Amino acid sequence: AILETAISITTERLSVVLRTNTGGTDSLTGEGYSNVSLTQLRRYAGEIYSMAWDAAVGLDEKERDQQTNSEEEEDASSAGPITQGKKLLDLIVYPQNMPNSPPEGWIDLRPDLSCICSHDSITGWISSNDFATGSGRKYASKEGQGLGGLRAHVDAVNAERKVKGLQPLVALHVDDWPDGAEVTGDPNVVFLEDEDAFEKIRASSNSSSDQKEETKSGLTGSSIIGGTAIPATSLYSSVCVGGTFDGMHYGHRKLLTLAISSVQPISGRLLIGVTQDEMLTHKAFADRIPPLEERMAGVLEFIGNLAPGMKNRIRCVPISDEYGPPGQPPESESYPGLQNDFDALVLSHETLPTGRKLNRYREDTLGIPPLKLLCTQRTEPHGMSSTALRRIRSS
């Protein structure tokens, strides 16, 4: 959200400050050392560049869609850099604590800087006239929200810039904040790519019922699967995943692969829901979406090659409502032969808000436990989207 907003209003240089836990007395979690490794910093920096490319090209796609859907060509002033016919932005990522990377304070005082774009929930805003940069535990009024927020931070930066004779900066707050950006307090959300994802799952799965289930399935402690140690708490007995699965692009394959990897061996089951045709009429290039039967066949072919040993433990069904089988009352016959005994849902970051909404519905309306939401990142960036494939087919 921050990248897309910043790219949409930047014409020359975009500096991305990647804040990290500094460790010691400034550590948000109280460790005496930084819990972010150099390998993680390098990976995060690389991911930012990839996300920035997706955001830049994605903005171009939005602009082309607007022009296609309007009778007169719209002004391209808010389009991405490629649509505008310009070179890509001068993008520089500054991971804090990476060797030889300058501190955030140096970037704030650059003469060519004109705006700081961010969100109030970014941890550790430092907002005083004496010192206006960095992050740390002693500056956070509460976990996940820094003292003062963006506006106060920029005011403090401007106080420093005034002393040095520099022009003041504009604070641009990102209002369209994705649901997945603030889910650290939700014990039911686990990002599968996190290195400590298994620890997060274990910490939130220590109830007696979970322990009984692990013992019943014979997966107490850790299991060795294919020579790899797999914590029992990272596997589930009844997993579901859903989507349009139009074209079976790489994002779909990634999602299904992670779903397969989350199912308990021998006894675990996987349900794959495929959206029915009548629910897709609002999609861009809807006339290019293959029929339900073709999309389900593509899913089954991929799954058959990916996990041939699970053939009898996988079901693929059409779904005709927002939540599918996991959102049905226990006694419902909407999906014959299916029991709503699911304990995990694999989904993308883009659909995480719907997953959390489903959990609230399960608890508040159906009176059944929430699902563990196993979330994977970046299944729909440019180059891995169904819309892009349909655009190609329509050209």
Side-chain angles (χ1 to χ4, degrees), residues 115-352:
C115 174
I116 295 181
C117 174
S118 194
H119 189 271
D120 282 339
S121 66
I122 300 299
T123 300
W125 291 110
I126 298 173
S127 308
S128 72
N129 290 330
D130 298 324
F131 191 59
T133 57
S135 62
R137 183 183 181 90
K138 61 186 178 183
Y139 300 103
S141 56
K142 59 181 179 179
E143 183 176 354
Q145 182 173 339
L147 181 65
L150 176 62
R151 178 70 264 175
H153 174 76
V154 173
D155 286 345
V157 171
N158 283 338
E160 291 189 65
R161 290 178 65 90
K162 182 177 181 181
V163 172
K164 297 182 180 296
L166 300 172
Q167 291 295 315
L169 305 178
V170 174
L172 178 59
H173 189 266
V174 178
D175 295 320
D176 187 16
W177 197 237
D179 182 79
E182 297 186 70
V183 296
T184 54
D186 190 337
N188 296 309
V189 177
V190 176
F191 289 97
L192 293 174
E193 286 92 343
D194 284 358
E195 289 190 1
D196 58 347
F198 291 157
E199 293 301 323
K200 292 178 181 177
I201 297 174
R202 181 181 294 110
S204 61
S205 303
N206 55 6
S207 66
S208 58
S209 60
D210 289 331
Q211 294 172 353
K212 291 178 182 178
E213 188 64 32
E214 290 179 14
T215 304
K216 185 191 305 182
S217 63
L219 291 170
T220 304
S222 297
S223 301
I224 300 295
I225 301 175
T228 302
I230 307 294
T233 47
S234 68
L235 301 174
Y236 297 86
S237 61
S238 185
V239 178
C240 52
V241 61
T244 302
F245 298 110
D246 169 22
M248 279 303 295
H249 61 66
Y250 295 160
H252 296 145
R253 295 166 186 247
K254 174 183 177 181
L255 192 69
L256 291 172
T257 298
L258 293 178
I260 289 288
S261 73
S262 303
V263 179
Q264 291 178 351
I266 303 175
S267 61
R269 293 169 284 113
L270 174 65
L271 176 73
I272 305 171
V274 182
T275 310
Q276 296 219 38
D277 297 334
E278 53 267 28
M279 295 184 64
L280 304 175
T281 56
H282 67 285
K283 295 272 190 180
F285 303 99
D287 60 319
R288 298 291 176 174
I289 299 178
L292 174 66
E293 294 75 12
E294 183 177 332
R295 290 182 284 117
M296 291 183 66
V299 169
L300 291 173
E301 180 182 5
F302 174 74
I303 287 293
N305 289 314
L306 175 66
M310 286 187 64
K311 181 179 180 180
N312 296 327
R313 294 186 288 123
I314 297 176
R315 286 193 62 178
C316 184
V317 301
I319 54 177
S320 55
D321 56 87
E322 182 180 14
Y323 297 141
Q328 304 304 314
E331 67 279 2
S332 173
E333 294 295 328
S334 298
Y335 295 90
L338 290 179
Q339 183 179 358
N340 191 355
D341 60 353
F342 305 103
D343 51 5
L345 170 66
V346 178
L347 72 175
S348 68
H349 192 281
E350 296 85 0
T351 57
L352 180 56

Side-chain angles (χ1 to χ4, degrees), residues 93-127:
V93 178
Y94 296 98
Q96 299 301 281
N97 294 344
M98 179 176 279
N100 305 309
S101 183
E104 184 177 347
W106 178 84
I107 302 166
D108 286 341
L109 298 178
R110 278 184 19 190
D112 60 348
L113 190 64
S114 57
C115 174
I116 295 181
C117 174
S118 194
H119 189 271
D120 282 339
S121 66
I122 300 299
T123 300
W125 291 110
I126 298 173
S127 308

